Amino acid sequence: MPHIRHRKFNTKETYPEQNLDNDLSQAVIAKGGTTIFLRGQCPQDLDTAENIQSNDPVEQTHKVMSNIRQLVQECGGEMRHVTKLVVYLTDVRHREAVYKTMGSYIKGVYPVCTGLVVVALARPEWLVEIDATAVIPD
């Protein structure tokens, strides 16, 4: 791992009442290098800014996480360089579906993660937005 992942844990132990399996950490010590700050990613195409045609939180999360992966790679990084995620949900009932989907993209990565439930996102059809920070080590 290029960074130190402090106090690793898995959400299946922290939230046993929910069907989750996300590798996270309480803190990440980034080792030098280049920091990538991504704006909050939404379920839309990066090239056209068109929304995906789905109101399903799983499909929206797949698009959001694939956008994050694409942007990190375009900036010269890999998903293993992701150090922090902030998840914004418009409905707490989508949490389990969103986190399970997100977890498939960060398996073995252990970023820190904060989740928030908000009244709305920039467009009413968006159910999830995730912003990310990655650090590419020297």
Side-chain angles (χ1 to χ4, degrees), residues 101-117:
T101 306
M102 180 183 72
S104 68
Y105 289 82
I106 58 169
K107 196 54 128 177
V109 175
Y110 297 94
V112 296
C113 184
T114 299
L116 303 164
V117 178

Side-chain angles (χ1 to χ4, degrees), residues 72-117:
V72 168
Q73 290 173 343
E74 287 175 358
C75 292
E78 301 171 20
M79 287 302 284
R80 67 189 180 104
H81 298 135
V82 172
T83 56
K84 183 172 183 169
L85 297 169
V86 180
V87 181
Y88 301 89
L89 301 173
T90 59
D91 188 333
V92 72
R93 294 171 292 189
H94 296 152
R95 183 178 186 277
E96 189 172 330
V98 167
Y99 273 68
K100 282 179 74 170
T101 306
M102 180 183 72
S104 68
Y105 289 82
I106 58 169
K107 196 54 128 177
V109 175
Y110 297 94
V112 296
C113 184
T114 299
L116 303 164
V117 178

Side-chain angles (χ1 to χ4, degrees), residues 38-44 46 63-65 67-68 71 128-132:
L38 299 184
R39 74 183 291 269
Q41 292 303 303
C42 300
Q44 63 181 189
L46 286 172
K63 184 58 181 165
V64 166
M65 291 304 295
N67 284 354
I68 288 171
L71 289 167
V128 59
E129 180 174 337
I130 302 174
D131 72 50

Side-chain angles (χ1 to χ4, degrees), residues 5-138:
R5 311 298 172 145
H6 182 67
R7 290 184 176 244
K8 295 178 186 177
F9 69 96
N10 188 286
T11 52
K12 66 184 167 195
E13 297 151 2
T14 308
Y15 303 99
E17 73 282 2
Q18 298 177 23
N19 187 19
L20 299 176
D21 184 14
N22 293 28
D23 291 335
L24 299 174
S25 296
Q26 294 292 344
V28 174
I29 303 167
K31 296 287 198 170
T34 302
T35 303
I36 304 166
F37 299 98
L38 299 184
R39 74 183 291 269
Q41 292 303 303
C42 300
Q44 63 181 189
D45 185 272
L46 286 172
D47 295 320
T48 65
E50 290 182 25
N51 292 334
I52 66 167
Q53 298 301 307
S54 175
N55 290 321
D56 176 40
V58 170
E59 290 181 15
Q60 288 197 13
T61 305
H62 273 300
K63 184 58 181 165
V64 166
M65 291 304 295
S66 67
N67 284 354
I68 288 171
R69 181 177 54 208
Q70 179 180 340
L71 289 167
V72 168
Q73 290 173 343
E74 287 175 358
C75 292
E78 301 171 20
M79 287 302 284
R80 67 189 180 104
H81 298 135
V82 172
T83 56
K84 183 172 183 169
L85 297 169
V86 180
V87 181
Y88 301 89
L89 301 173
T90 59
D91 188 333
V92 72
R93 294 171 292 189
H94 296 152
R95 183 178 186 277
E96 189 172 330
V98 167
Y99 273 68
K100 282 179 74 170
T101 306
M102 180 183 72
S104 68
Y105 289 82
I106 58 169
K107 196 54 128 177
V109 175
Y110 297 94
V112 296
C113 184
T114 299
L116 303 164
V117 178
V118 296
V119 174
L121 296 169
R123 292 195 173 150
E125 59 272 22
W126 293 347
L127 305 175
V128 59
E129 180 174 337
I130 302 174
D131 72 50
T133 303
V135 180
I136 304 170
D138 291 332

